[in-house]
Amino acid sequence: MFDFLFGRKESETNETAETARKDAPAAPGNGISYDPNLIAELKLDHSHLLSLFANIISTTNQRNEKLLVEQLNEFGQKLRGHLLKENVRFYVYLKNSLRSDENSLAIMQDFSHEMQQIGRAVTDFLHKYISVPQWDDAQWAVFDRDLNAVGKVLGRRIESEEDTLYTLYLPQSGQS
C-alpha cells in the first residue's frame, strides 16, 4: 500500500516483493529485513532534500512568498517521508542487529535521538513559515536567518549520517 513511500518501483508486483522479503535476512526478533538498496535510497533522498532546499534558497532570494510556501510544503513532505523510512526500515533494523555491539548501538541511539530533535525543530520551522500572514522586510530577514540555521544543521546531519551512521548498516553475520 505504501510502496511509493519506500522506493518500490510501481512495476514491481506483490508476488515479486513478497518473494524478495522472504529471501532477505531479517534482524533478530522484528522481521525487518536487511535491504542492500536502502542506503542508496536514503542517500538519494538526501540529494533530493538538498535540491529542494537549494530551490527554497533561490525562491527566498526572489522574495516569492507564494512559491516559497509551496516549496516549504514539498520539502516538509519529502523530509517526513525520509524520516519515516529511516525510522521504520533503518533504525529498527540497526537496533536489533547491533544488540551485541554496545558501542555501535550507542552511536546509533545518539544519532536517532538527535534526529528526533532535529526533525521537531525543522517541523516547527516549516509550520511557522508556511502560515506567515504577512511577508514584509522584517519577516524576510528573520526567515533568512532561520533558513540559514536550518540549512547548516541539515547539511551537517546529512554528512554525518552518510559518513558514520550509514556504515553501521550491514547484513547479519552469515547472511547477505
Side-chain angles (χ1 to χ4, degrees):
M1 180 171 158
F2 295 105
D3 286 347
F4 69 94
L5 181 64
F6 297 110
R8 304 274 188 235
K9 294 179 179 62
E10 288 183 16
S11 63
E12 183 179 48
T13 64
N14 288 338
E15 185 177 324
T16 304
E18 186 62 28
T19 301
R21 278 187 222 104
K22 287 179 183 175
D23 293 341
N30 70 4
I32 300 291
S33 301
Y34 173 79
D35 180 350
N37 299 313
L38 180 59
I39 299 303
E41 288 178 33
L42 293 172
K43 287 181 177 182
L44 185 59
D45 287 352
H46 286 166
S47 177
H48 287 136
L49 287 166
L50 291 172
S51 177
L52 289 171
F53 200 84
N55 291 342
I56 291 168
I57 292 170
S58 176
T59 299
T60 300
N61 292 336
Q62 298 166 18
R63 299 299 196 232
N64 183 337
E65 62 194 65
K66 183 178 182 222
L67 181 57
L68 176 66
V69 169
E70 290 173 14
Q71 291 173 335
L72 290 173
N73 276 311
E74 181 181 6
F75 183 81
Q77 284 182 316
K78 299 293 184 187
L79 180 63
R80 283 186 294 278
H82 174 75
L83 295 175
L84 181 62
K85 186 186 300 184
E86 274 188 343
N87 286 333
V88 172
R89 294 176 58 200
F90 180 77
Y91 283 117
V92 171
Y93 178 85
L94 273 188
K95 181 180 177 185
N96 287 287
S97 68
L98 296 175
R99 274 189 280 197
S100 62
D101 182 349
E102 290 181 23
N103 291 331
S104 294
L105 184 61
I107 291 169
M108 183 276 303
Q109 289 171 332
D110 287 345
F111 268 93
S112 177
H113 179 70
E114 178 187 46
M115 193 62 235
Q116 289 173 1
Q117 293 174 322
I118 292 170
R120 272 188 238 115
V122 172
T123 299
D124 290 347
F125 164 83
L126 293 170
H127 285 297
K128 176 181 178 179
Y129 289 107
I130 285 170
S131 61
V132 168
Q134 180 67 33
W135 287 87
D136 57 17
D137 289 342
Q139 184 63 63
W140 281 110
V142 172
F143 178 77
D144 285 340
R145 182 199 65 215
D146 291 351
L147 182 66
N148 186 46
V150 166
K152 286 180 181 176
V153 168
L154 288 176
R156 282 191 303 261
R157 175 59 189 214
I158 287 171
E159 185 178 322
S160 65
E161 279 186 355
E162 292 184 2
D163 291 347
T164 304
L165 182 62
Y166 289 174
T167 65
L168 300 175
Y169 187 78
L170 300 168
Q172 292 292 294
S173 299
Q175 299 175 339
S176 54

